[in-house]
Amino acid sequence: MTQTTETNRDPNAYAYRVEGRVPAGPYAGPLAETEGRMGIDGTAVLTVRVHDAGQHGTTRREAAERLAWGYGVRTRRVYADLLADRLDRHALRIEGAPLAVARFAADLPGLLAAIEAAATAMMRRLAGWMRDSAHGQRWTEYHGPQDWRTERRYWRRSFIRHLADFVGPYAPQVDAPMPDWSEDWLGIPARIAQATAPTIDTEAVRDHMAEALLFAQAVTAEPRIIEPTPEPRTRYASVYDAIHAPQEYSQELGDVVTTYGPDPDAGTELETAAAVEVEDDERQAAEVEVDEKVTAAAVEACAELTEPTTAPQVSAPPTGRPAPDRVAAAVRIVRRHRPYGSIRTHTRPQARTRGQLRPPQRADRAAPSTRPTGTTRKATPPVTADHRTHATTSGGN
């Protein structure tokens, strides 16, 4: 059993036993609050946070973003966790002129309350249209209560989003009549929002005291420290200077021109094209003149060569050039009876070419003696035709 002490005693325990649990009432505080002071550095910057009462914080933030256009300021969403790339659902940063930012931040709570009150009143009219119109009765026949709650939530959100586009001192003024009950209201929330926008008076919700207090408490941002510009590593201070630098002439290479950008002395495209055509014509005429001079010099040189040359020329046919003897000076590896090879560098006798005669043999040179190969056999005289006849006759007798 838990002991009750002075530290965990509920001060309203007796009232709960007598009167029962009292349900929490609806939220009646401001729907938007400013965070910190407005900073002015050329443009004013202020952070606004909307309230999430009734779990409508996202809808109120979207309405504030659309209301900013009617007040001439810009909005930017705030990151709750920059590393995780997670946006803050209820925070919004406002930027613009200091007076415009102060007025928008002061009017935003009243504007949101007026827009939500108009949306609540329009939801009652939509319920009456659903009950009494033919379109609403037909829709009720095919849909249940759960579908109606879902459709009502979506319709209210769309109505607030479109209504915020036509609220503000600089918002467009559109005079649109309220649609008749014979039309389908579920499909035209934008048209109904345009007809309801004139009912919201921005001057009635304007808070001059809060606007003046925000502007009086504004702080001027500290001047930014301008670091000295480091000296350029190149000869040019920036890339722009390097691109648009004048022409430079190289003294070492002669007429070579290095340019870093367009020629400032260049004429129009037509004059440039005409100059190019003239240069092409002059170049072609110079080439033709050089070709004619070379041809005339070649004809005179051929006329001076009257006697034919007797020595073989490089351009002579293959039959007039001696064939090189590549076999004579070749280095080959000769395999002998030894297990390793030896290199032979002596030249072989020149091979005979086709049509060359064999050198004559001397008659007094003795034939080389044959080497005995074994036992000596008696030579058998050759058999002639007389011997064959005699042998046949003896066999017949």
Side-chain angles (χ1 to χ4, degrees), residues 236-387:
Y236 300 103
S238 63
V239 179
Y240 180 85
D241 296 341
I243 295 176
H244 297 275
Q247 299 181 358
E248 297 181 0
Y249 295 90
S250 177
Q251 301 296 338
E252 299 179 358
L253 302 180
D255 296 336
V256 178
V257 180
T258 305
T259 58
Y260 293 92
D263 187 3
D265 299 332
T268 59
E269 297 182 357
L270 297 178
E271 296 179 358
T272 305
V276 170
E277 292 180 359
V278 172
E279 291 179 0
D280 293 342
D281 297 340
E282 294 178 356
R283 190 183 301 106
Q284 293 179 1
E287 292 177 357
V288 171
E289 185 178 357
V290 171
D291 293 342
E292 294 177 355
K293 291 182 180 179
V294 171
T295 305
V299 171
E300 293 178 0
C302 292
E304 294 178 358
L305 297 177
T306 55
E307 299 180 358
T309 57
T310 56
Q313 302 294 333
V314 178
S315 60
T319 54
R321 297 198 302 264
D325 189 4
R326 299 184 181 89
V327 183
V331 179
R332 296 189 179 185
I333 298 178
V334 181
R335 183 71 64 180
R336 296 185 182 276
H337 296 289
R338 301 175 185 177
Y340 54 89
S342 61
I343 299 177
R344 182 180 65 185
T345 58
H346 63 273
T347 58
R348 291 186 175 183
Q350 186 175 3
R352 301 191 312 271
T353 58
R354 181 177 297 181
Q356 187 177 0
L357 300 177
R358 183 185 298 272
Q361 300 289 339
R362 295 183 59 179
D364 56 350
R365 180 177 298 179
S369 59
T370 58
R371 187 177 180 180
T373 58
T375 57
T376 305
R377 296 183 180 180
K378 188 177 181 181
T380 305
V383 181
T384 58
D386 297 339
H387 290 84

Side-chain angles (χ1 to χ4, degrees), residues 142-319:
Y142 294 96
H143 300 84
Q146 182 65 28
D147 297 338
W148 166 239
R149 283 191 291 269
T150 304
E151 186 67 24
R152 183 175 55 186
R153 187 182 305 112
Y154 170 78
W155 196 92
R156 183 178 185 275
R157 195 173 189 178
S158 178
F159 175 80
I160 291 176
R161 188 184 304 113
H162 290 94
L163 182 59
D165 292 336
F166 301 95
V167 176
Y170 302 106
Q173 301 297 328
V174 180
D175 187 8
M178 195 69 181
D180 189 49
W181 279 32
S182 60
E183 300 184 23
D184 185 8
W185 283 24
L186 294 179
I188 53 174
R191 181 179 172 184
I192 298 177
Q194 293 180 10
T196 312
T199 60
I200 298 178
D201 189 5
T202 56
E203 295 295 333
V205 299
R206 186 172 183 181
D207 192 350
H208 295 272
M209 185 62 67
E211 179 182 347
L213 188 62
L214 287 174
F215 188 78
Q217 293 181 350
V219 295
T220 304
E222 298 181 359
R224 300 178 182 178
I225 301 176
I226 301 176
E227 299 180 356
T229 305
E231 296 182 359
R233 297 181 179 179
T234 60
R235 57 189 302 183
Y236 300 103
S238 63
V239 179
Y240 180 85
D241 296 341
I243 295 176
H244 297 275
Q247 299 181 358
E248 297 181 0
Y249 295 90
S250 177
Q251 301 296 338
E252 299 179 358
L253 302 180
D255 296 336
V256 178
V257 180
T258 305
T259 58
Y260 293 92
D263 187 3
D265 299 332
T268 59
E269 297 182 357
L270 297 178
E271 296 179 358
T272 305
V276 170
E277 292 180 359
V278 172
E279 291 179 0
D280 293 342
D281 297 340
E282 294 178 356
R283 190 183 301 106
Q284 293 179 1
E287 292 177 357
V288 171
E289 185 178 357
V290 171
D291 293 342
E292 294 177 355
K293 291 182 180 179
V294 171
T295 305
V299 171
E300 293 178 0
C302 292
E304 294 178 358
L305 297 177
T306 55
E307 299 180 358
T309 57
T310 56
Q313 302 294 333
V314 178
S315 60
T319 54

